[in-house]
Amino acid sequence: MPHDDHDTIDGDVYVSPRRLARSTAVGDPGLDPLRALGWDLHHDDLGNAHLTAPDGKVRLGYLPEGDDDGLWRINAYKEAFGPPAWGVCFNDAAPTEFVTAFTTALAEAYRQGLDHYLARPVADSADHNPFLAVAPLINHGWQLDRPHPSTFAITSPDGLATLEYTTGDLDPAIELETRDARWHLWTGTSPARPFWYATASTDTPAALLRAVTEAVADPAPLPRWRDDTDSYVKDHARLSPILPPSPPSPTPLDVRRAAASRRPAALPAASVPRWSTTSRPALPGPRR
């Protein structure tokens, strides 16, 4: 169970498995890792947000008013005005936490330089092997299958999430504009009508993909609001209430204060005359 402070949890239920959560409909967490690097943010006339790296070689679009359901589109370029070297898309139902995992890894790769954020997967490389993206899922019990000669698939134990990897040559433009990309991650009972999906083109760095699959495979549930049924897969996800934290154990000082508050008040001392220790009483005078 997560160790978040209850006051900071944005939700009243936990959703598990977390891959059956959906978007929170709040874009800031996904944008923040790149905004923290000083990337330029501007909005178009429709209200879409666009982030651009200082060198112009990585661009992110948050597109609630886009032409399709691709809410998040992130592209990287070898040349600022050339074609994209790689592209990633998360649709409008994808859990925001998975987008944030990607942009957090992208921010770190960008800090390290173009050899990291443009590092294409290489099968015989220890650092850039595409298997790095698959390993977190396999380590959490996902099963490898080959449903088609040109497709490898890794499916979750409940059968409701799949990562597909397509072999062979692919058209770069089609990869960027459709779901027919090298990598296709989706949840649901059919890829034709997924609960949510994400795609990544051939040369997307393996380290960035691994950040997403690690987030997907993480067993910790995600917080959501029970009444916001669009933020999780209602008929399949398990919900558990987020309980307020137990009161903290009393400190020794708390115990002493509590005991003092229960002690009866002292009665006031009786008012009695006292002889002075510094003077003598006056002697009676002679009688007349």
Side-chain angles (χ1 to χ4, degrees):
M1 191 63 64
H3 300 288
D4 309 67
D5 185 327
H6 177 70
D7 292 338
T8 67
I9 298 176
D10 190 11
D12 58 4
V13 293
Y14 282 121
V15 175
S16 59
R18 58 170 34 208
R19 57 183 173 270
L20 294 183
R22 302 177 80 185
S23 173
T24 62
V26 178
D28 287 346
L31 299 172
D32 286 347
L34 302 175
R35 293 188 65 187
L37 297 181
W39 289 26
D40 177 62
L41 173 66
H42 70 277
H43 296 82
D44 61 26
D45 294 339
L46 298 176
N48 298 312
H50 302 268
L51 271 176
T52 304
D55 62 2
K57 292 183 179 180
V58 187
R59 302 168 201 163
L60 177 151
Y62 177 67
L63 311 171
E65 301 299 330
D67 295 330
D68 54 28
D69 66 348
L71 179 61
W72 299 86
R73 292 191 178 275
I74 306 104
N75 295 328
Y77 304 79
K78 294 179 181 178
E79 301 294 338
F81 298 101
W86 58 259
V88 166
C89 173
F90 294 87
N91 85 321
D92 55 7
T96 310
E97 292 85 352
F98 301 164
V99 180
T100 303
F102 182 88
T103 56
T104 300
L106 176 58
E108 178 59 28
Y110 188 81
R111 279 193 292 263
Q112 295 178 15
L114 59 85
D115 288 343
H116 290 81
Y117 68 82
L118 290 178
R120 61 188 304 272
V122 179
D124 58 356
S125 169
D127 296 330
H128 307 300
N129 194 312
F131 181 76
L132 293 172
V134 177
L137 303 178
I138 292 178
N139 292 340
H140 282 83
W142 291 42
Q143 298 297 311
L144 183 63
D145 190 14
R146 194 160 190 179
H148 188 272
S150 64
T151 305
F152 289 94
I154 303 93
T155 302
S156 63
D158 61 6
L160 292 176
T162 299
L163 174 64
E164 295 176 335
Y165 178 85
T166 300
T167 63
D169 295 331
L170 298 177
D171 184 322
I174 291 177
E175 285 195 83
L176 296 173
E177 296 171 4
T178 74
R179 291 171 60 191
D180 295 326
R182 183 72 62 191
W183 301 89
H184 182 201
L185 175 63
W186 55 276
T187 61
T189 57
S190 167
R193 299 185 64 183
F195 302 143
W196 63 265
Y197 72 84
T199 62
S201 68
T202 298
D203 287 343
T204 306
L208 304 185
L209 297 172
R210 183 183 178 93
V212 177
T213 56
E214 284 179 339
V216 171
D218 189 335
L222 294 177
R224 294 293 187 268
W225 296 100
R226 183 185 295 272
D227 289 344
D228 184 7
T229 55
D230 289 336
S231 69
Y232 57 89
V233 182
K234 184 178 179 181
D235 295 332
H236 296 278
R238 300 189 301 273
L239 304 183
S240 57
I242 296 177
L243 301 177
S246 301
S249 299
T251 66
L253 179 59
D254 294 331
V255 174
R256 291 198 296 272
R257 286 173 173 168
S261 68
R262 294 193 297 269
R263 189 178 300 138
L267 295 175
S271 178
V272 295
R274 295 180 183 274
W275 293 108
S276 170
T277 59
T278 60
S279 62
R280 296 179 181 179
L283 295 176
R287 294 182 180 181
R288 294 181 182 270

